[in-house]
């Protein structure tokens, strides 16, 4: 009697057509999803970089374009003038004069004097005293001259109030302090001579609105770097 054969299991089992179709469809679906994600990532995050040198182009401005133009131009002029400039100065200046002062002063004035002069001294008096002396009542008088010398004490106070003219011409010699604080409060009027060449750079902005289209005009791009993203433009236009 022959032995009973067991059905194959595991990898040895025969593949059914339905299972083959399901596995193939799953692999195809995964592959499509991965490809779609890769293409989307590539077009969204990658970009192409180009460098243009001396590239001729033609530019056309659209109708209704609003723009701001900035005009810049250098301006040169010559200045030759003497303006009147008033400079007020009000401050205290510190001045050092280490030298000696030598000068000659002429003073002519009237000096008022109001005082009292007291005189106290002995005044000598020398004179001759003439008198008539009667020796007897019945005899006539006799003239007698007697010399007299004596010291008379004198004390007087004399008020003096007068004006004394003074006319002096004297030489002055002195030494100034090492530091002097001199207040200055004045206005200086000056006329400086301003002469030279002035170079200015004028810049202005002008807003304009293009009313009608103009013909394309040629331009040349000297050098520029372009970054072109690989995005799916037609997908974005169709998106709601």
């Amino acid at each position: 009697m022959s032995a009973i054969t067991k059905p194959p299991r595991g990898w040895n089992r025969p593949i059914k057509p339905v299972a083959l179709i399901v596995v193939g469809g799953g692999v195809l679906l995964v592959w499509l999803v991965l490809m779609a994600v890769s293409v989307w990532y590539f077009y969204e995050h990658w970009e192409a970089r180009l460098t243009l040198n001396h590239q001729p182009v033609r530019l056309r401005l659209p109708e209704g374009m609003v723009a701001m133009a900035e005009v810049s131009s250098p301006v040169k002029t010559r200045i030759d003038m003497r303006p009147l400039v008033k400079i007020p100065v009000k401050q205290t200046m510190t001045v050092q004069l280490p030298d000696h002062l030598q000068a000659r002063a002429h003073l002519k004035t009237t000096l008022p004097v109001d005082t009292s002069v007291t005189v106290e001294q002995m005044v000598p008096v020398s004179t001759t005293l003439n008198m008539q002396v009667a020796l007897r009542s019945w005899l006539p008088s006799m003239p007698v001259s007697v010399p007299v010398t004596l010291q008379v004490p004198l004390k007087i106070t004399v008020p003096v109030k007068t004006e004394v003219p003074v006319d002096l011409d004297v030489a002055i010699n002195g030494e100034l302090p090492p530091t002097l604080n001199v207040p200055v409060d004045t206005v200086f009027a000056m006329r400086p001579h301003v002469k030279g060449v002035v170079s200015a750079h004028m810049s202005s902005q002008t807003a304009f609105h293009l009313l009608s289209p103009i013909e394309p005009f040629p331009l040349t791009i000297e050098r520029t770097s372009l970054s072109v993203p690989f995005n799916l433009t037609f997908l974005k236009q169709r998106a709601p």
Side-chain angles (χ1 to χ4, degrees):
M1 189 175 182
S2 60
I4 301 173
T5 58
K6 296 180 179 181
R9 296 181 178 180
W11 293 101
N12 297 321
R13 289 185 305 172
I15 299 175
K16 296 180 179 182
V18 177
L20 183 61
I21 294 174
V22 172
V23 173
V27 173
L28 180 60
L29 181 61
V30 172
W31 180 81
L32 291 177
V33 171
L34 291 177
M35 287 298 295
V37 172
S38 300
V39 172
W40 174 81
Y41 182 81
F42 178 77
Y43 278 95
E44 286 291 335
H45 298 279
W46 285 51
E47 61 184 10
R49 296 183 179 179
L50 304 176
T51 301
L52 301 179
N53 294 322
H54 304 284
Q55 179 66 34
V57 295
R58 296 181 66 86
L59 181 62
R60 180 190 296 271
L61 299 179
E63 182 181 358
M65 185 187 70
V66 179
M68 180 73 70
E70 183 174 353
V71 181
S72 175
S73 61
V75 177
K76 291 186 177 181
T77 181
R78 180 178 296 275
I79 297 177
D80 188 0
M81 61 181 181
R82 294 179 179 270
L84 178 61
V85 180
K86 293 185 178 181
I87 305 175
V89 178
K90 187 175 183 181
Q91 60 181 1
T92 301
M93 301 180 60
T94 301
V95 181
Q96 293 183 355
L97 298 175
D99 200 0
H100 295 278
L101 177 64
Q102 294 182 356
R104 192 170 189 87
H106 183 225
L107 179 63
K108 186 175 182 180
T109 184
T110 301
L111 183 65
V113 177
D114 188 359
T115 183
S116 298
V117 179
T118 301
V119 179
E120 183 177 359
Q121 63 180 2
M122 300 297 292
V123 178
V125 177
S126 178
T127 184
T128 300
L129 182 62
N130 297 319
M131 61 183 66
Q132 295 291 331
V133 179
L135 296 178
R136 295 294 180 177
S137 58
W138 48 273
L139 291 175
S141 303
M142 296 179 61
V144 177
S145 298
V146 180
V148 178
T149 302
L150 53 86
Q151 297 286 336
V152 179
L154 178 64
K155 184 178 181 181
I156 59 175
T157 300
V158 180
V160 178
K161 187 175 183 181
T162 183
E163 291 184 355
V164 180
V166 177
D167 190 357
L168 297 177
D169 189 2
V170 295
I172 300 174
N173 188 3
E175 184 175 354
L176 295 175
T179 302
L180 296 176
N181 293 326
V182 180
V184 178
D185 187 2
T186 184
V187 178
F188 293 99
M190 305 175 62
R191 287 188 176 273
H193 188 192
V194 181
K195 185 177 182 181
V197 178
V198 178
S199 179
H201 191 79
M202 298 184 61
S203 178
S204 61
Q205 291 185 347
T206 304
F208 63 90
H209 181 80
L210 191 61
L211 300 179
S212 61
I214 61 176
E215 294 296 328
F217 53 92
L219 293 177
T220 301
I221 300 177
E222 295 293 336
R223 181 178 177 85
T224 184
S225 297
L226 298 180
S227 297
V228 181
F230 292 142
N231 53 357
L232 298 179
T233 308
F234 64 93
L235 293 180
K236 290 186 176 180
Q237 293 177 356
R238 295 180 181 179

